[in-house]
Amino acid sequence: MTKRYITRGLLVTALLLALDSLQKLMAQDPPERFLTGVQRPEDLLQLPRSHWVIVSCYSPSTAKSGKLMAIDLEKQGIAPLAIFPGQAPLKSNNLNTLFRPHGINCLQTGINQYRLFVINHGSKETIEVFDIDLRSQDLQIITWSKSIGLPTTVWANGIVVSPDETVFVTSMYDPADKKFIDEFEKGEPTGQVWKWTSTQGWQTLNDKLLSGSNGIEISRDGQILYVSEWAKRRLWKFSLNKAVVDSYIQLDFLTDNLRWTEKGNLLLTGQKANPAILFKAHSLQHLVGGNQFSVAEINPVTFTANYLIDGGSRDFGWGTVAIAVGDEIWVGSSLTNKIACYKNLKTKSTR
């Protein structure tokens, strides 16, 4: 075969690959609108029975703080409010000096009163606990309560809290493990679920080791944990009373954060790319072909997944969390400075 034909064949192959990539891009679901004014919204949480959404603005820099922000659903034309660090004074000066919030969760402690739990990759690995009082309808009333130090072998990602204030966190990997990204690639164990109580401190939940332990939620009756095994694209169901056999379902994306909907289903979000590329990326521009993501709705009874959104573009990608807000689904991403708002889509596939 002559060099001319070889070159022509390579050009045809490149053109076909480009067309395939274009078709995939055109097939992505476009958002209806964007909410701006937030920085790297890695996690989103609507305070129960309120019109406020808390945004965890993650900082990838180990020398720069992120922040907690809030969006008033009754005033969406108003810029998101920075609530911490913010103007409100702290009760104590013992807070971790560097604030890099990651996973968030809350308990409702009274009418318009909440306790917010925030994973912090600051000057040390901690969970920061805040009290929020909305009785004056002013979300600037947020006070830091305490820090819960994490074990040195834990790099926490997701967090959930039971009604008795037992804290469950996912450890994505051991910070001392220099090979964890290679282990992600191979689907090898890197972490697990931990639990904390005020009387017993930290303990591992069970002997189940996971490859990239990530998102976590708890059933309404407090008996089952749902846990994302990111690098193996799985969602696990762990029984806390051993009445149900632990099991998992297989997805076709890297399983990230989980959030309940009012219908009693779970929204599961995650990326569709190579784990190593994603973990090393600091912007969407680094994610060549790796900015696509999916949102699936999980039925906790049948433990099946219905796909709702296939998203991702050069402007918005690497979705890490989705929440249902009215007739929309909001998607956050730790690589963008906006939230994508989609129509609350019906099931598009059950692949």
PDB file of all heavy atoms in Angstrom, residues 138-171:
ATOM      1  N   ASP A 138     -33.771  34.802  57.726  1.00  0.00           N
ATOM      2  CA  ASP A 138     -32.498  35.380  57.299  1.00  0.00           C
ATOM      3  C   ASP A 138     -31.426  34.304  57.386  1.00  0.00           C
ATOM      4  O   ASP A 138     -31.018  33.930  58.481  1.00  0.00           O
ATOM      5  CB  ASP A 138     -32.144  36.575  58.204  1.00  0.00           C
ATOM      6  CG  ASP A 138     -30.873  37.278  57.761  1.00  0.00           C
ATOM      7  OD1 ASP A 138     -30.251  36.810  56.785  1.00  0.00           O
ATOM      8  OD2 ASP A 138     -30.520  38.287  58.379  1.00  0.00           O
ATOM      9  N   LEU A 139     -30.937  33.831  56.239  1.00  0.00           N
ATOM     10  CA  LEU A 139     -29.995  32.724  56.269  1.00  0.00           C
ATOM     11  C   LEU A 139     -28.582  33.170  56.648  1.00  0.00           C
ATOM     12  O   LEU A 139     -27.667  32.379  56.704  1.00  0.00           O
ATOM     13  CB  LEU A 139     -29.973  32.004  54.921  1.00  0.00           C
ATOM     14  CG  LEU A 139     -29.713  30.489  54.997  1.00  0.00           C
ATOM     15  CD1 LEU A 139     -30.283  29.792  53.792  1.00  0.00           C
ATOM     16  CD2 LEU A 139     -28.253  30.146  55.128  1.00  0.00           C
ATOM     17  N   GLN A 140     -28.399  34.437  56.905  1.00  0.00           N
ATOM     18  CA  GLN A 140     -27.090  34.862  57.400  1.00  0.00           C
ATOM     19  C   GLN A 140     -26.889  34.422  58.851  1.00  0.00           C
ATOM     20  O   GLN A 140     -25.789  34.521  59.387  1.00  0.00           O
ATOM     21  CB  GLN A 140     -26.951  36.379  57.283  1.00  0.00           C
ATOM     22  CG  GLN A 140     -26.895  36.853  55.831  1.00  0.00           C
ATOM     23  CD  GLN A 140     -26.574  38.320  55.736  1.00  0.00           C
ATOM     24  OE1 GLN A 140     -25.569  38.786  56.259  1.00  0.00           O
ATOM     25  NE2 GLN A 140     -27.431  39.060  55.058  1.00  0.00           N
ATOM     26  N   ILE A 141     -27.977  33.959  59.496  1.00  0.00           N
ATOM     27  CA  ILE A 141     -27.840  33.487  60.872  1.00  0.00           C
ATOM     28  C   ILE A 141     -27.377  32.039  60.830  1.00  0.00           C
ATOM     29  O   ILE A 141     -28.159  31.098  60.909  1.00  0.00           O
ATOM     30  CB  ILE A 141     -29.169  33.641  61.638  1.00  0.00           C
ATOM     31  CG1 ILE A 141     -29.611  35.098  61.632  1.00  0.00           C
ATOM     32  CG2 ILE A 141     -29.024  33.134  63.071  1.00  0.00           C
ATOM     33  CD1 ILE A 141     -30.933  35.347  62.325  1.00  0.00           C
ATOM     34  N   ILE A 142     -26.083  31.853  60.664  1.00  0.00           N
ATOM     35  CA  ILE A 142     -25.455  30.535  60.664  1.00  0.00           C
ATOM     36  C   ILE A 142     -24.270  30.598  61.611  1.00  0.00           C
ATOM     37  O   ILE A 142     -23.455  31.527  61.527  1.00  0.00           O
ATOM     38  CB  ILE A 142     -25.018  30.098  59.243  1.00  0.00           C
ATOM     39  CG1 ILE A 142     -24.269  28.758  59.303  1.00  0.00           C
ATOM     40  CG2 ILE A 142     -24.217  31.173  58.543  1.00  0.00           C
ATOM     41  CD1 ILE A 142     -23.963  28.173  57.921  1.00  0.00           C
ATOM     42  N   THR A 143     -24.195  29.679  62.542  1.00  0.00           N
ATOM     43  CA  THR A 143     -23.121  29.703  63.530  1.00  0.00           C
ATOM     44  C   THR A 143     -22.391  28.369  63.534  1.00  0.00           C
ATOM     45  O   THR A 143     -23.016  27.303  63.468  1.00  0.00           O
ATOM     46  CB  THR A 143     -23.669  29.994  64.941  1.00  0.00           C
ATOM     47  OG1 THR A 143     -24.724  29.074  65.235  1.00  0.00           O
ATOM     48  CG2 THR A 143     -24.210  31.406  65.016  1.00  0.00           C
ATOM     49  N   TRP A 144     -21.095  28.459  63.605  1.00  0.00           N
ATOM     50  CA  TRP A 144     -20.275  27.263  63.702  1.00  0.00           C
ATOM     51  C   TRP A 144     -20.431  26.658  65.086  1.00  0.00           C
ATOM     52  O   TRP A 144     -20.425  27.368  66.090  1.00  0.00           O
ATOM     53  CB  TRP A 144     -18.818  27.608  63.421  1.00  0.00           C
ATOM     54  CG  TRP A 144     -17.876  26.449  63.587  1.00  0.00           C
ATOM     55  CD1 TRP A 144     -17.647  25.444  62.705  1.00  0.00           C
ATOM     56  CD2 TRP A 144     -17.045  26.193  64.714  1.00  0.00           C
ATOM     57  NE1 TRP A 144     -16.713  24.558  63.207  1.00  0.00           N
ATOM     58  CE2 TRP A 144     -16.334  24.996  64.444  1.00  0.00           C
ATOM     59  CE3 TRP A 144     -16.824  26.832  65.941  1.00  0.00           C
ATOM     60  CZ2 TRP A 144     -15.417  24.455  65.334  1.00  0.00           C
ATOM     61  CZ3 TRP A 144     -15.916  26.303  66.831  1.00  0.00           C
ATOM     62  CH2 TRP A 144     -15.220  25.118  66.527  1.00  0.00           C
ATOM     63  N   SER A 145     -20.598  25.333  65.144  1.00  0.00           N
ATOM     64  CA  SER A 145     -20.821  24.662  66.415  1.00  0.00           C
ATOM     65  C   SER A 145     -19.598  23.900  66.890  1.00  0.00           C
ATOM     66  O   SER A 145     -19.136  24.087  68.013  1.00  0.00           O
ATOM     67  CB  SER A 145     -22.011  23.712  66.294  1.00  0.00           C
ATOM     68  OG  SER A 145     -22.192  22.970  67.471  1.00  0.00           O
ATOM     69  N   LYS A 146     -19.061  23.012  66.021  1.00  0.00           N
ATOM     70  CA  LYS A 146     -17.922  22.195  66.448  1.00  0.00           C
ATOM     71  C   LYS A 146     -17.262  21.551  65.236  1.00  0.00           C
ATOM     72  O   LYS A 146     -17.791  21.564  64.122  1.00  0.00           O
ATOM     73  CB  LYS A 146     -18.376  21.101  67.413  1.00  0.00           C
ATOM     74  CG  LYS A 146     -19.345  20.093  66.790  1.00  0.00           C
ATOM     75  CD  LYS A 146     -19.774  19.034  67.801  1.00  0.00           C
ATOM     76  CE  LYS A 146     -20.793  18.072  67.193  1.00  0.00           C
ATOM     77  NZ  LYS A 146     -21.249  17.048  68.171  1.00  0.00           N
ATOM     78  N   SER A 147     -16.069  20.981  65.472  1.00  0.00           N
ATOM     79  CA  SER A 147     -15.363  20.184  64.485  1.00  0.00           C
ATOM     80  C   SER A 147     -15.299  18.743  64.966  1.00  0.00           C
ATOM     81  O   SER A 147     -15.129  18.491  66.160  1.00  0.00           O
ATOM     82  CB  SER A 147     -13.924  20.687  64.276  1.00  0.00           C
ATOM     83  OG  SER A 147     -13.897  21.913  63.599  1.00  0.00           O
ATOM     84  N   ILE A 148     -15.433  17.820  64.033  1.00  0.00           N
ATOM     85  CA  ILE A 148     -15.212  16.406  64.316  1.00  0.00           C
ATOM     86  C   ILE A 148     -14.008  15.982  63.492  1.00  0.00           C
ATOM     87  O   ILE A 148     -14.057  15.983  62.254  1.00  0.00           O
ATOM     88  CB  ILE A 148     -16.444  15.553  63.931  1.00  0.00           C
ATOM     89  CG1 ILE A 148     -17.689  16.033  64.685  1.00  0.00           C
ATOM     90  CG2 ILE A 148     -16.171  14.084  64.220  1.00  0.00           C
ATOM     91  CD1 ILE A 148     -18.971  15.360  64.230  1.00  0.00           C
ATOM     92  N   GLY A 149     -12.915  15.668  64.147  1.00  0.00           N
ATOM     93  CA  GLY A 149     -11.717  15.254  63.437  1.00  0.00           C
ATOM     94  C   GLY A 149     -11.892  13.890  62.783  1.00  0.00           C
ATOM     95  O   GLY A 149     -12.517  12.998  63.356  1.00  0.00           O
ATOM     96  N   LEU A 150     -11.345  13.731  61.582  1.00  0.00           N
ATOM     97  CA  LEU A 150     -11.438  12.466  60.848  1.00  0.00           C
ATOM     98  C   LEU A 150     -10.181  11.633  61.064  1.00  0.00           C
ATOM     99  O   LEU A 150      -9.089  12.175  61.312  1.00  0.00           O
ATOM    100  CB  LEU A 150     -11.628  12.742  59.357  1.00  0.00           C
ATOM    101  CG  LEU A 150     -13.029  13.194  58.956  1.00  0.00           C
ATOM    102  CD1 LEU A 150     -13.005  13.943  57.636  1.00  0.00           C
ATOM    103  CD2 LEU A 150     -13.972  11.999  58.872  1.00  0.00           C
ATOM    104  N   PRO A 151     -10.285  10.298  60.975  1.00  0.00           N
ATOM    105  CA  PRO A 151      -9.091   9.457  61.075  1.00  0.00           C
ATOM    106  C   PRO A 151      -8.071   9.828  59.994  1.00  0.00           C
ATOM    107  O   PRO A 151      -8.445  10.275  58.893  1.00  0.00           O
ATOM    108  CB  PRO A 151      -9.630   8.038  60.856  1.00  0.00           C
ATOM    109  CG  PRO A 151     -11.080   8.114  61.231  1.00  0.00           C
ATOM    110  CD  PRO A 151     -11.523   9.491  60.829  1.00  0.00           C
ATOM    111  N   THR A 152      -6.802   9.644  60.287  1.00  0.00           N
ATOM    112  CA  THR A 152      -5.748  10.026  59.337  1.00  0.00           C
ATOM    113  C   THR A 152      -5.774   9.176  58.070  1.00  0.00           C
ATOM    114  O   THR A 152      -5.198   9.570  57.053  1.00  0.00           O
ATOM    115  CB  THR A 152      -4.371   9.901  60.001  1.00  0.00           C
ATOM    116  OG1 THR A 152      -4.189   8.550  60.470  1.00  0.00           O
ATOM    117  CG2 THR A 152      -4.243  10.857  61.175  1.00  0.00           C
ATOM    118  N   THR A 153      -6.422   8.024  58.108  1.00  0.00           N
ATOM    119  CA  THR A 153      -6.482   7.148  56.940  1.00  0.00           C
ATOM    120  C   THR A 153      -7.677   7.472  56.035  1.00  0.00           C
ATOM    121  O   THR A 153      -7.906   6.778  55.044  1.00  0.00           O
ATOM    122  CB  THR A 153      -6.600   5.677  57.377  1.00  0.00           C
ATOM    123  OG1 THR A 153      -7.747   5.532  58.228  1.00  0.00           O
ATOM    124  CG2 THR A 153      -5.352   5.241  58.121  1.00  0.00           C
ATOM    125  N   VAL A 154      -8.425   8.536  56.363  1.00  0.00           N
ATOM    126  CA  VAL A 154      -9.666   8.848  55.650  1.00  0.00           C
ATOM    127  C   VAL A 154      -9.539  10.147  54.855  1.00  0.00           C
ATOM    128  O   VAL A 154      -9.131  11.180  55.396  1.00  0.00           O
ATOM    129  CB  VAL A 154     -10.841   8.968  56.645  1.00  0.00           C
ATOM    130  CG1 VAL A 154     -12.076   9.546  55.966  1.00  0.00           C
ATOM    131  CG2 VAL A 154     -11.157   7.609  57.261  1.00  0.00           C
ATOM    132  N   TRP A 155      -9.870  10.067  53.557  1.00  0.00           N
ATOM    133  CA  TRP A 155     -10.122  11.269  52.753  1.00  0.00           C
ATOM    134  C   TRP A 155     -11.605  11.222  52.435  1.00  0.00           C
ATOM    135  O   TRP A 155     -12.056  10.513  51.545  1.00  0.00           O
ATOM    136  CB  TRP A 155      -9.291  11.277  51.473  1.00  0.00           C
ATOM    137  CG  TRP A 155      -9.272  12.622  50.790  1.00  0.00           C
ATOM    138  CD1 TRP A 155      -8.413  13.648  51.036  1.00  0.00           C
ATOM    139  CD2 TRP A 155     -10.159  13.086  49.742  1.00  0.00           C
ATOM    140  NE1 TRP A 155      -8.697  14.732  50.232  1.00  0.00           N
ATOM    141  CE2 TRP A 155      -9.770  14.409  49.429  1.00  0.00           C
ATOM    142  CE3 TRP A 155     -11.232  12.524  49.070  1.00  0.00           C
ATOM    143  CZ2 TRP A 155     -10.410  15.167  48.447  1.00  0.00           C
ATOM    144  CZ3 TRP A 155     -11.883  13.279  48.104  1.00  0.00           C
ATOM    145  CH2 TRP A 155     -11.464  14.582  47.797  1.00  0.00           C
ATOM    146  N   ALA A 156     -12.382  11.983  53.210  1.00  0.00           N
ATOM    147  CA  ALA A 156     -13.838  11.878  53.146  1.00  0.00           C
ATOM    148  C   ALA A 156     -14.391  12.524  51.884  1.00  0.00           C
ATOM    149  O   ALA A 156     -13.827  13.494  51.354  1.00  0.00           O
ATOM    150  CB  ALA A 156     -14.454  12.519  54.380  1.00  0.00           C
ATOM    151  N   ASN A 157     -15.524  11.994  51.418  1.00  0.00           N
ATOM    152  CA  ASN A 157     -16.162  12.509  50.212  1.00  0.00           C
ATOM    153  C   ASN A 157     -17.633  12.829  50.464  1.00  0.00           C
ATOM    154  O   ASN A 157     -18.045  13.962  50.426  1.00  0.00           O
ATOM    155  CB  ASN A 157     -16.018  11.495  49.072  1.00  0.00           C
ATOM    156  CG  ASN A 157     -16.436  12.051  47.734  1.00  0.00           C
ATOM    157  OD1 ASN A 157     -17.508  12.613  47.577  1.00  0.00           O
ATOM    158  ND2 ASN A 157     -15.577  11.897  46.732  1.00  0.00           N
ATOM    159  N   GLY A 158     -18.440  11.794  50.744  1.00  0.00           N
ATOM    160  CA  GLY A 158     -19.859  11.997  51.005  1.00  0.00           C
ATOM    161  C   GLY A 158     -20.179  11.834  52.476  1.00  0.00           C
ATOM    162  O   GLY A 158     -19.457  11.165  53.216  1.00  0.00           O
ATOM    163  N   ILE A 159     -21.286  12.443  52.898  1.00  0.00           N
ATOM    164  CA  ILE A 159     -21.673  12.395  54.303  1.00  0.00           C
ATOM    165  C   ILE A 159     -23.192  12.333  54.417  1.00  0.00           C
ATOM    166  O   ILE A 159     -23.916  12.936  53.616  1.00  0.00           O
ATOM    167  CB  ILE A 159     -21.129  13.623  55.074  1.00  0.00           C
ATOM    168  CG1 ILE A 159     -21.476  13.550  56.563  1.00  0.00           C
ATOM    169  CG2 ILE A 159     -21.620  14.927  54.460  1.00  0.00           C
ATOM    170  CD1 ILE A 159     -20.750  14.597  57.406  1.00  0.00           C
ATOM    171  N   VAL A 160     -23.670  11.581  55.398  1.00  0.00           N
ATOM    172  CA  VAL A 160     -25.085  11.560  55.733  1.00  0.00           C
ATOM    173  C   VAL A 160     -25.199  11.361  57.243  1.00  0.00           C
ATOM    174  O   VAL A 160     -24.300  10.779  57.871  1.00  0.00           O
ATOM    175  CB  VAL A 160     -25.834  10.449  54.955  1.00  0.00           C
ATOM    176  CG1 VAL A 160     -25.509   9.066  55.498  1.00  0.00           C
ATOM    177  CG2 VAL A 160     -27.334  10.679  54.966  1.00  0.00           C
ATOM    178  N   VAL A 161     -26.285  11.859  57.822  1.00  0.00           N
ATOM    179  CA  VAL A 161     -26.455  11.827  59.270  1.00  0.00           C
ATOM    180  C   VAL A 161     -27.822  11.232  59.589  1.00  0.00           C
ATOM    181  O   VAL A 161     -28.838  11.633  59.012  1.00  0.00           O
ATOM    182  CB  VAL A 161     -26.339  13.238  59.880  1.00  0.00           C
ATOM    183  CG1 VAL A 161     -26.380  13.169  61.402  1.00  0.00           C
ATOM    184  CG2 VAL A 161     -25.063  13.922  59.406  1.00  0.00           C
ATOM    185  N   SER A 162     -27.855  10.257  60.496  1.00  0.00           N
ATOM    186  CA  SER A 162     -29.120   9.647  60.905  1.00  0.00           C
ATOM    187  C   SER A 162     -29.801  10.534  61.939  1.00  0.00           C
ATOM    188  O   SER A 162     -29.168  11.426  62.518  1.00  0.00           O
ATOM    189  CB  SER A 162     -28.861   8.249  61.483  1.00  0.00           C
ATOM    190  OG  SER A 162     -28.152   8.348  62.701  1.00  0.00           O
ATOM    191  N   PRO A 163     -31.095  10.304  62.217  1.00  0.00           N
ATOM    192  CA  PRO A 163     -31.815  11.147  63.184  1.00  0.00           C
ATOM    193  C   PRO A 163     -31.182  11.187  64.575  1.00  0.00           C
ATOM    194  O   PRO A 163     -31.339  12.172  65.297  1.00  0.00           O
ATOM    195  CB  PRO A 163     -33.208  10.507  63.222  1.00  0.00           C
ATOM    196  CG  PRO A 163     -33.376   9.898  61.867  1.00  0.00           C
ATOM    197  CD  PRO A 163     -32.003   9.387  61.505  1.00  0.00           C
ATOM    198  N   ASP A 164     -30.455  10.112  64.966  1.00  0.00           N
ATOM    199  CA  ASP A 164     -29.808  10.122  66.282  1.00  0.00           C
ATOM    200  C   ASP A 164     -28.415  10.741  66.221  1.00  0.00           C
ATOM    201  O   ASP A 164     -27.640  10.636  67.171  1.00  0.00           O
ATOM    202  CB  ASP A 164     -29.739   8.707  66.863  1.00  0.00           C
ATOM    203  CG  ASP A 164     -28.840   7.781  66.044  1.00  0.00           C
ATOM    204  OD1 ASP A 164     -28.326   8.202  64.980  1.00  0.00           O
ATOM    205  OD2 ASP A 164     -28.653   6.624  66.462  1.00  0.00           O
ATOM    206  N   GLU A 165     -28.105  11.386  65.098  1.00  0.00           N
ATOM    207  CA  GLU A 165     -26.829  12.087  64.861  1.00  0.00           C
ATOM    208  C   GLU A 165     -25.638  11.147  64.759  1.00  0.00           C
ATOM    209  O   GLU A 165     -24.495  11.542  65.019  1.00  0.00           O
ATOM    210  CB  GLU A 165     -26.580  13.192  65.891  1.00  0.00           C
ATOM    211  CG  GLU A 165     -27.550  14.345  65.768  1.00  0.00           C
ATOM    212  CD  GLU A 165     -27.006  15.670  66.294  1.00  0.00           C
ATOM    213  OE1 GLU A 165     -25.779  15.833  66.379  1.00  0.00           O
ATOM    214  OE2 GLU A 165     -27.838  16.537  66.604  1.00  0.00           O
ATOM    215  N   THR A 166     -25.881   9.916  64.345  1.00  0.00           N
ATOM    216  CA  THR A 166     -24.768   9.068  63.909  1.00  0.00           C
ATOM    217  C   THR A 166     -24.333   9.576  62.538  1.00  0.00           C
ATOM    218  O   THR A 166     -25.165   9.765  61.642  1.00  0.00           O
ATOM    219  CB  THR A 166     -25.197   7.593  63.798  1.00  0.00           C
ATOM    220  OG1 THR A 166     -25.585   7.125  65.090  1.00  0.00           O
ATOM    221  CG2 THR A 166     -24.052   6.736  63.279  1.00  0.00           C
ATOM    222  N   VAL A 167     -23.048   9.831  62.392  1.00  0.00           N
ATOM    223  CA  VAL A 167     -22.508  10.373  61.150  1.00  0.00           C
ATOM    224  C   VAL A 167     -21.886   9.243  60.337  1.00  0.00           C
ATOM    225  O   VAL A 167     -21.094   8.452  60.862  1.00  0.00           O
ATOM    226  CB  VAL A 167     -21.445  11.450  61.441  1.00  0.00           C
ATOM    227  CG1 VAL A 167     -20.838  11.984  60.150  1.00  0.00           C
ATOM    228  CG2 VAL A 167     -22.044  12.594  62.253  1.00  0.00           C
ATOM    229  N   PHE A 168     -22.247   9.168  59.062  1.00  0.00           N
ATOM    230  CA  PHE A 168     -21.652   8.204  58.139  1.00  0.00           C
ATOM    231  C   PHE A 168     -20.911   8.982  57.049  1.00  0.00           C
ATOM    232  O   PHE A 168     -21.474   9.910  56.471  1.00  0.00           O
ATOM    233  CB  PHE A 168     -22.719   7.325  57.489  1.00  0.00           C
ATOM    234  CG  PHE A 168     -23.518   6.492  58.458  1.00  0.00           C
ATOM    235  CD1 PHE A 168     -24.699   6.985  59.000  1.00  0.00           C
ATOM    236  CD2 PHE A 168     -23.092   5.221  58.823  1.00  0.00           C
ATOM    237  CE1 PHE A 168     -25.450   6.224  59.891  1.00  0.00           C
ATOM    238  CE2 PHE A 168     -23.836   4.455  59.718  1.00  0.00           C
ATOM    239  CZ  PHE A 168     -25.010   4.957  60.254  1.00  0.00           C
ATOM    240  N   VAL A 169     -19.663   8.611  56.795  1.00  0.00           N
ATOM    241  CA  VAL A 169     -18.905   9.245  55.715  1.00  0.00           C
ATOM    242  C   VAL A 169     -18.278   8.170  54.836  1.00  0.00           C
ATOM    243  O   VAL A 169     -17.984   7.060  55.299  1.00  0.00           O
ATOM    244  CB  VAL A 169     -17.796  10.186  56.231  1.00  0.00           C
ATOM    245  CG1 VAL A 169     -18.370  11.318  57.058  1.00  0.00           C
ATOM    246  CG2 VAL A 169     -16.740   9.426  57.002  1.00  0.00           C
ATOM    247  N   THR A 170     -18.089   8.525  53.581  1.00  0.00           N
ATOM    248  CA  THR A 170     -17.357   7.646  52.676  1.00  0.00           C
ATOM    249  C   THR A 170     -15.911   8.121  52.593  1.00  0.00           C
ATOM    250  O   THR A 170     -15.655   9.316  52.449  1.00  0.00           O
ATOM    251  CB  THR A 170     -17.976   7.648  51.272  1.00  0.00           C
ATOM    252  OG1 THR A 170     -18.046   8.995  50.779  1.00  0.00           O
ATOM    253  CG2 THR A 170     -19.364   7.038  51.285  1.00  0.00           C
ATOM    254  N   SER A 171     -14.992   7.188  52.716  1.00  0.00           N
ATOM    255  CA  SER A 171     -13.577   7.499  52.530  1.00  0.00           C
ATOM    256  C   SER A 171     -13.188   7.046  51.131  1.00  0.00           C
ATOM    257  O   SER A 171     -13.185   5.853  50.825  1.00  0.00           O
ATOM    258  CB  SER A 171     -12.716   6.778  53.571  1.00  0.00           C
ATOM    259  OG  SER A 171     -11.340   7.015  53.322  1.00  0.00           O
TER     260      SER A 171
END
